[in-house]
């Protein structure tokens, strides 16, 4: 009930006295004029009305009006709408059914409706207002994740603590999403735990992740890592199939298969699979496991990423200082690779050099001049200063700075030459050149480091059963901080760096510290291995040194947009990349991405300024919250360039529902009790939900609020005063012009 009360201040009485004098004067005037003016009473009434309105205007600075109302506080009821709330237990009953039955029970909800103003909400990844309790048929699809902390914080920030009596949280306590703000709400939270202590076990085979090089060489071996797991099934192993399909997914070819050993506890299992692509282009790399007859989540049996298969042309220059077995075996390994075009130069005597370019070999009296810019990789054997020279040192330094690859595979002569010249010191991974080197002729075993197992030089070349031996090693006592050790040379308790790499400028540098590594080829050849580790190591090393994965994409189009995967799980980061051609855009364009589905929105992609060469690169990262198809329209707007028009491209990918909700279906009452304790509320299991009425027994409060009415600035009131004044003028004009005999 609302009551308006006029509360006058002290000046009110003086205004009231003035108003009484005005009315008294009007009455006297009426008495004097009524006998001779027929319209006198009308004249008096009109004057009285005008005086009343003027009185109200004079009253404005000396009055208050209070609004008394009986107000109800707000009670927010927040209901879980995530996937775990819709999963039936062993009794074929889902928590959403129990929650809906409770919230529609008149004995429970009518009390709160009579004492509070109820605001209904549902939450999963986000929180949304609803008109009432939700059931199984109230929403099209449940949420993929649940963020309780985010929902509570959002509701608390929208409503003032003065009017919010509390938050009733109806949930199973499953918190599978990452809440960006974990601030506790200012209002007390009263969780009602709805769920089962014995939920139905989840039966599922899942491919969690697929890792493969983004760019591989056609008809060359590559390695992929597949993470799989099994839940609720009696699997001891799961077959995995790897396929390559075009971007449309129509043409698909199986490239490899393997079997992953899994545990019954649901732990992730890593399966490494080697594959060889047979065609060039951009492909969807698909990992797939078969569907089990009892499986409940068939959508996660497949994951897809994108890879580019290229046909490289790698010119290599190999300089050797003396006839060695290393020259013979390395020359043969490089020649057998169809994508490597080696040029071999070896000093065979005083002023005598063996030169081989392709199939043509010759002997020269002087070392032929080589233009290092024509090659992508240079291998230095046991060369001396007479082969390199000072000009050669400087050319090598610029060669690596501009993006070339340099491999050191020499012995005393090479490091003596490097030790006497400081020109190459900036690109070497070691600190001081020759003074930090010791030679050892002991037998060592090559042991790949943890960093090296994921490096292209070893990930696709060394199997777990192989332990290559070297007879002799170079010992570098001091390495630069930027150096990376991919493999060690071990002997009993001694471990020294074996393969060392470093980036310099845009290029790459590697040092092979093992001596007589050509024996790997000889030993494995005797054992009957056709593809030895020696061959695989050198092929992968040359490809890495050539920087194939760092080469810029051929920009045949002005704008290319891509993602690294074809499908993602809800909550998994999605990175969109756009590349704009420098030939089309003279300056970096502005890139905008318009989301067409599922929700229309516009965002701006940020320019990655670390990539100086190649096209302009842009990226944007976000975490999807809903499963379904995502489609973006990417636009590149040229800035200040009249001859370039806006370029558009479309990007689509799939968002899959995560299995997190299906794994956490047990009632998490411990989390709900902690939440209630921290906010000053109380936890109630479903069987004791009626006790919440005793806790929330506050009657509605009566409050007063000051309301100011601006009479003077009211246009309707001013119009009424003007109309009455005009009426008075009309009455006076009419009756004052009447003759005496015509007056009543």
């Amino acid at each position: 009930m609302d009551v308006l009360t006029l509360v006058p201040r002290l000046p009110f009485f003086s205004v009231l006295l003035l108003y009484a004098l005005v009315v008294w004067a009007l009455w006297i005037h009426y008495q004097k004029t009524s006998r001779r003016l027929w319209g006198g009473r009308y004249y008096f009434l009109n004057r009285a009305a005008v005086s009343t309105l003027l009185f109200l205007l004079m009253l404005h600075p000396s009055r208050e009006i209070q609004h008394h109302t009986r107000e109800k506080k707000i009670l927010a009821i927040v209901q879980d709408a995530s996937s775990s709330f819709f999963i039936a237990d062993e009794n074929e009953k889902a928590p959403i059914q129990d929650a809906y039955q409770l919230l529609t029970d008149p004995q429970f909800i009518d009390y709160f409706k009579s004492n509070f103003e109820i605001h209904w909400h549902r939450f999963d990844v986000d929180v949304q207002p609803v008109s009432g309790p939700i059931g199984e048929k109230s929403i099209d699809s449940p949420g993929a994740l649940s963020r309780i902390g985010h929902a509570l914080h959002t509701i608390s920030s929208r409503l003032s603590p003065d009017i919010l009596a509390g938050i009733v949280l109806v949930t199973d306590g499953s918190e599978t999403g990452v809440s960006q703000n974990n601030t506790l709400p200012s209002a007390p939270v009263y969780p009602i735990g709805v769920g089962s202590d014995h939920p139905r076990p989840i039966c599922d085979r899942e491919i969690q992740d697929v890792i493969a090089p983004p760019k591989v060489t056609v008809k060359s071996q590559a390695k992929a890592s597949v993470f799989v797991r099994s839940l609720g099934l009696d699997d001891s192993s799961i077959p995995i199939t790897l396929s390559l399909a075009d971007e449309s997914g129509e043409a698909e070819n199986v490239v490899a298969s393997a079997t992953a050993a899994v545990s019954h506890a649901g732990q992730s299992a890593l399966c490494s699979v080697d594959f060889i692509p047979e065609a060039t282009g951009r492909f969807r790399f698909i990992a797939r496991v078969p569907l089990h007859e009892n499986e409940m989540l068939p959508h996660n049996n497949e994951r897809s990423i994108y890879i580019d298969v290229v046909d490289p042309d790698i010119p290599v220059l190999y300089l050797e200082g003396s006839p060695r077995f290393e020259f013979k075996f390395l020359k043969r390994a490089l020649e057998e690779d169809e994508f490597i075009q080696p040029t071999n130069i070896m000093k065979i005597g005083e002023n005598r050099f063996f030169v081989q370019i392709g199939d043509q070999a010759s002997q020269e009296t002087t070392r032929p001049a080589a233009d290092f810019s024509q090659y992508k990789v240079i291998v230095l054997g046991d060369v001396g200063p007479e082969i390199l020279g000072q000009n050669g040192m400087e050319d090598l330094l610029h060669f690596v700075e501009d993006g070339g690859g340099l491999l050191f595979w020499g012995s005393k002569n090479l490091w003596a030459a490097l030790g006497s010249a400081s020109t190459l010191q900036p690109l070497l991974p070691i600190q001081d050149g020759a003074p930090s080197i010791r030679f050892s002729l002991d037998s060592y075993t090559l042991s790949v480091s943890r960093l090296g197992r994921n490096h292209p030089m070893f990930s696709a070349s060394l199997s777990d059963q192989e332990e290559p031996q070297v007879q002799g090693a170079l010992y570098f006592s001091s390495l630069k901080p930027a150096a990376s050790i991919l493999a060690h040379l071990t002997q009993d308790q001694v471990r020294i760096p074996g393969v060392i790499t470093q980036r310099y400028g845009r290029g790459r540098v590697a040092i092979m510290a093992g001596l007589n590594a050509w024996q790997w080829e000889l030993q494995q050849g005797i054992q009957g291995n056709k593809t030895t580790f020696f061959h695989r190591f050198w092929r992968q090393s040359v490809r890495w040194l050539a920087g194939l994965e760092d080469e810029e994409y051929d920009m045949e189009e002005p704008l290319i947009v891509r993602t690294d995967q074809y499908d993602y799980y809800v909550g998994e980061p999605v990175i969109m990349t756009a590349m704009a051609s420098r030939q089309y855009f003279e300056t970096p364009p502005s890139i905008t991405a318009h989301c067409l589905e599922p929700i229309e929105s516009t965002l701006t992609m940020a320019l990655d300024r670390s990539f100086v060469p190649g096209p302009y690169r842009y990226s944007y990262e976000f975490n999807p919250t809903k499963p379904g198809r995502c489609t973006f329209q990417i636009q590149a707007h040229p800035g200040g360039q009249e001859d370039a028009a806006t370029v558009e491209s479309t990007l689509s990918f799939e968002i899959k529902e995560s299995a997190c909700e299906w794994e956490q279906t047990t009632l998490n009452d411990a989390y709900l009790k902690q939440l209630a304790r921290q906010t000053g509320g109380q936890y109630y299991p479903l069987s004791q939900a009626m006790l919440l009425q005793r806790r929330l027994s506050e009657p509605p409060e009566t409050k007063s609020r000051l309301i100011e009415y601006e009479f003077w600035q009211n246009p309707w009131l001013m119009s009424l005063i003007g109309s009455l004044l005009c009426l008075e003028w009309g009455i006076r004009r009419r009756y004052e012009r009447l003759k005496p005999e015509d007056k009543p």
Side-chain angles (χ1 to χ4, degrees):
M1 179 182 295
D2 296 342
V3 179
L4 291 178
T5 305
L6 184 66
V7 183
R9 297 177 182 173
L10 184 61
F12 170 78
F13 297 102
S14 60
V15 176
L16 181 62
L17 179 60
L18 178 62
Y19 177 68
L21 292 175
V22 172
V23 174
W24 178 75
L26 288 174
W27 177 255
I28 296 299
H29 180 69
Y30 166 70
Q31 293 293 331
K32 291 182 178 181
T33 60
S34 61
R35 296 177 181 176
R36 59 184 180 86
L37 183 61
W38 182 85
R41 67 171 58 90
Y42 299 105
Y43 177 69
F44 168 74
L45 294 176
N46 187 66
R47 277 294 181 89
V50 174
S51 301
T52 302
L53 294 175
L54 292 174
F55 163 72
L56 292 175
L57 296 176
M58 297 170 62
L59 183 65
H60 170 67
S62 60
R63 63 93 184 91
E64 291 179 353
I65 295 181
Q66 286 188 348
H67 184 202
H68 299 275
T69 181
R70 187 171 181 265
E71 292 185 337
K72 295 180 180 179
K73 282 194 171 183
I74 295 177
L75 181 65
I77 300 181
V78 187
Q79 188 176 352
D80 197 336
S82 60
S83 297
S84 63
F85 218 56
F86 287 76
I87 301 175
D89 57 11
E90 294 179 344
N91 298 322
E92 301 296 331
K93 193 172 185 180
I96 186 66
Q97 299 174 347
D98 293 330
Y100 184 77
Q101 183 178 356
L102 172 67
L103 297 178
T104 55
D105 186 359
Q107 295 182 357
F108 175 79
I109 200 63
D110 287 350
Y111 169 81
F112 300 108
K113 288 183 178 180
S114 61
N115 291 278
F116 299 94
E117 180 183 343
I118 297 181
H119 287 199
W120 296 91
H121 296 82
R122 54 161 285 190
F123 79 93
D124 39 58
V125 177
D126 298 317
V127 59
Q128 300 174 359
V130 291
S131 59
I134 59 174
E136 287 185 290
K137 300 180 180 180
S138 301
I139 55 180
D140 297 334
S141 61
L145 296 175
S146 57
R147 294 196 297 175
I148 297 177
H150 171 74
L152 296 177
H153 174 75
T154 302
I155 294 174
S156 178
S157 61
R158 292 176 180 174
L159 301 174
S160 172
D162 298 334
I163 62 175
L164 183 59
I167 302 176
V168 178
L169 180 64
V170 184
T171 179
D172 58 359
S174 175
E175 176 86 336
T176 56
V178 179
S179 298
Q180 298 179 354
N181 194 324
N182 294 320
T183 306
L184 293 175
S186 55
V189 180
Y190 303 96
I192 299 178
V194 183
S196 174
D197 295 332
H198 304 285
R200 177 187 298 178
I202 303 301
C203 299
D204 182 41
R205 288 175 176 174
E206 178 187 9
I207 293 186
Q208 296 179 298
D209 200 3
V210 180
I211 301 176
K215 184 179 289 188
V216 297
T217 305
V218 65
K219 298 182 180 180
S220 297
Q221 185 173 346
K223 184 181 290 292
S225 298
V226 184
F227 293 86
V228 298
R229 69 171 178 175
S230 175
L231 290 174
L233 300 172
D234 56 351
D235 291 327
S236 59
S237 62
I238 300 178
I240 301 175
T241 302
L242 299 181
S243 303
L244 286 178
D246 56 13
E247 295 187 72
S248 63
E250 297 179 356
E252 181 176 335
N253 297 316
V254 177
V255 293
S257 60
T259 301
V262 296
S263 64
H264 299 285
Q267 298 177 348
S268 298
L270 170 61
C271 181
S272 297
V273 186
D274 295 330
F275 67 98
I276 300 177
E278 297 294 338
T280 60
R282 183 168 175 83
F283 296 95
R284 282 176 52 193
F285 186 65
I286 307 172
R288 187 180 290 114
V289 295
L291 184 68
H292 195 277
E293 57 182 359
N294 297 326
E295 192 154 4
M296 302 171 64
L297 299 174
H299 67 271
N300 58 13
N301 287 44
E302 177 183 311
R303 291 297 304 267
S304 300
I305 63 175
Y306 286 111
I307 65 172
D308 292 296
V309 183
V310 297
D311 185 358
D313 181 14
I314 310 176
V316 177
L317 175 62
Y318 178 23
L319 298 176
E320 185 58 75
S322 60
R324 298 193 304 162
F325 285 108
E326 284 84 349
F327 179 82
K328 174 182 178 181
F329 287 97
L330 178 56
K331 170 178 170 293
R332 184 166 59 187
L334 297 180
E335 290 175 346
E336 290 180 357
D337 192 318
E338 59 180 312
F339 302 110
I340 297 178
Q341 290 79 42
T343 297
N344 305 310
I345 300 176
M346 180 180 63
K347 183 180 179 182
I348 57 177
E350 189 69 23
N351 296 328
R352 294 177 58 197
F353 294 89
F354 172 79
V355 180
Q356 181 179 13
I357 303 176
D359 297 333
Q360 298 181 358
S362 62
Q363 292 188 14
E364 305 290 341
T365 57
T366 58
R367 183 182 74 84
D371 184 5
F372 292 159
S373 62
Q374 298 179 357
Y375 303 95
K376 290 185 177 181
V377 178
I378 296 177
V379 180
L380 296 182
D382 199 23
V383 297
E386 70 279 2
I387 295 182
L388 293 177
Q390 184 62 30
N391 293 334
M393 296 278 194
E394 295 178 355
D395 293 342
L396 283 176
L397 184 66
H398 296 309
F399 169 75
V400 177
E401 286 179 344
D402 295 337
L406 182 60
L407 175 65
F408 296 93
W409 193 36
S411 186
K412 295 182 179 181
N413 293 331
L414 172 63
W415 293 106
L418 297 179
S420 61
S422 60
T423 305
L424 294 182
Q425 185 60 38
L427 61 79
L428 293 176
I430 59 178
Q431 289 283 11
D432 300 319
S436 63
I437 302 172
R438 293 193 314 220
F439 293 90
S440 173
L441 296 179
D442 298 328
S443 177
Y444 292 91
T445 300
L446 186 71
S447 175
V448 181
S449 66
R450 181 178 300 179
L451 178 63
R453 291 198 174 276
N454 296 321
H455 195 275
M457 292 178 66
F458 289 100
S459 61
S461 59
L462 184 63
S463 64
D464 296 335
Q465 295 77 22
E466 292 177 314
E467 294 183 351
Q469 303 285 326
V470 294
Q471 301 295 325
L474 304 174
Y475 177 66
F476 303 96
S477 59
S478 181
L479 303 180
K480 292 181 179 178
S484 300
I485 301 177
L486 303 185
H488 293 90
L489 298 175
T490 61
Q491 181 193 53
D492 297 332
Q493 302 299 324
V494 178
R495 190 175 73 163
I496 62 176
V499 178
I500 312 164
T501 62
Q502 177 181 280
R503 289 180 178 266
Y504 179 74
R506 294 173 51 197
R508 302 174 176 187
V509 179
I511 295 178
M512 178 61 186
L515 302 178
N516 301 320
W518 58 272
Q519 296 180 4
W520 299 341
E521 167 81 357
L522 186 61
Q523 294 171 358
Q524 292 185 332
I526 296 175
Q527 297 173 4
N529 296 337
K530 295 182 179 179
T531 305
T532 64
F533 166 68
F534 185 84
H535 282 74
R536 297 194 304 270
F537 171 77
W538 279 106
R539 292 174 181 176
Q540 293 301 122
S541 298
V542 168
R543 282 163 171 76
W544 179 78
L545 289 168
L548 294 182
E549 67 274 15
D550 287 350
E551 286 186 347
E552 306 298 337
Y553 290 93
D554 295 332
M555 296 295 293
E556 299 178 356
E557 302 176 3
L559 179 65
I560 296 177
V561 291
R562 290 176 174 176
T563 56
D564 58 337
Q565 297 180 193
Y566 173 78
D567 49 24
Y568 299 85
Y569 285 137
V570 171
E572 188 177 18
V574 177
I575 301 178
M576 299 188 301
T577 303
M579 292 176 289
S581 173
R582 290 179 181 265
Q583 298 178 355
Y584 187 84
F585 298 98
E586 297 178 356
T587 58
S590 61
I591 305 291
T592 57
H594 304 276
C595 183
L596 305 180
E597 57 177 343
I599 301 176
E600 292 189 7
S601 61
T602 302
L603 52 94
T604 302
M605 303 183 72
L607 174 64
D608 189 352
R609 299 187 181 275
S610 61
F611 288 88
V612 177
Y616 302 111
R617 292 176 180 262
Y618 300 76
S619 63
Y620 180 79
E621 179 178 349
F622 72 99
N623 293 323
T625 59
K626 299 288 184 182
R629 186 76 174 173
C630 283
T631 302
F632 283 85
Q633 185 181 46
I634 315 297
Q635 294 182 339
H637 308 276
Q641 187 176 346
E642 298 180 355
D643 57 342
T646 299
V647 182
E648 296 183 355
S649 183
T650 303
L651 178 65
S652 298
F653 47 88
E654 292 286 342
I655 305 298
K656 296 182 178 181
E657 181 180 357
S658 174
C660 297
E661 282 286 314
W662 293 79
E663 299 173 26
Q664 303 183 22
T665 56
T666 305
L667 175 62
N668 189 2
D669 54 355
Y671 170 71
L672 298 178
K673 290 178 181 178
Q674 178 185 2
L675 181 62
R677 183 172 59 254
Q678 292 176 343
T679 58
Q682 187 173 346
Y683 169 75
Y684 298 93
L686 180 62
S687 59
Q688 302 177 9
M690 290 295 180
L691 298 178
L692 180 61
Q693 297 178 356
R694 298 181 183 178
R695 184 66 181 267
L696 294 174
S697 58
E698 301 178 6
E701 297 181 356
T702 300
K703 291 187 176 182
S704 299
R705 291 181 295 173
L706 176 64
I707 301 178
E708 298 274 347
Y709 290 95
E710 299 289 341
F711 288 140
W712 183 257
Q713 298 181 3
N714 192 321
W716 296 104
L717 187 59
M718 298 299 295
S719 300
L720 181 59
I721 293 175
S723 301
L724 292 175
L725 290 175
C726 293
L727 179 62
E728 179 188 359
W729 178 79
I731 294 174
R732 292 169 59 90
R733 290 277 296 176
R734 177 179 180 182
Y735 288 103
E736 286 182 355
R737 288 185 300 178
L738 293 176
K739 298 179 179 180
E741 59 272 13
D742 296 334
K743 294 179 181 180

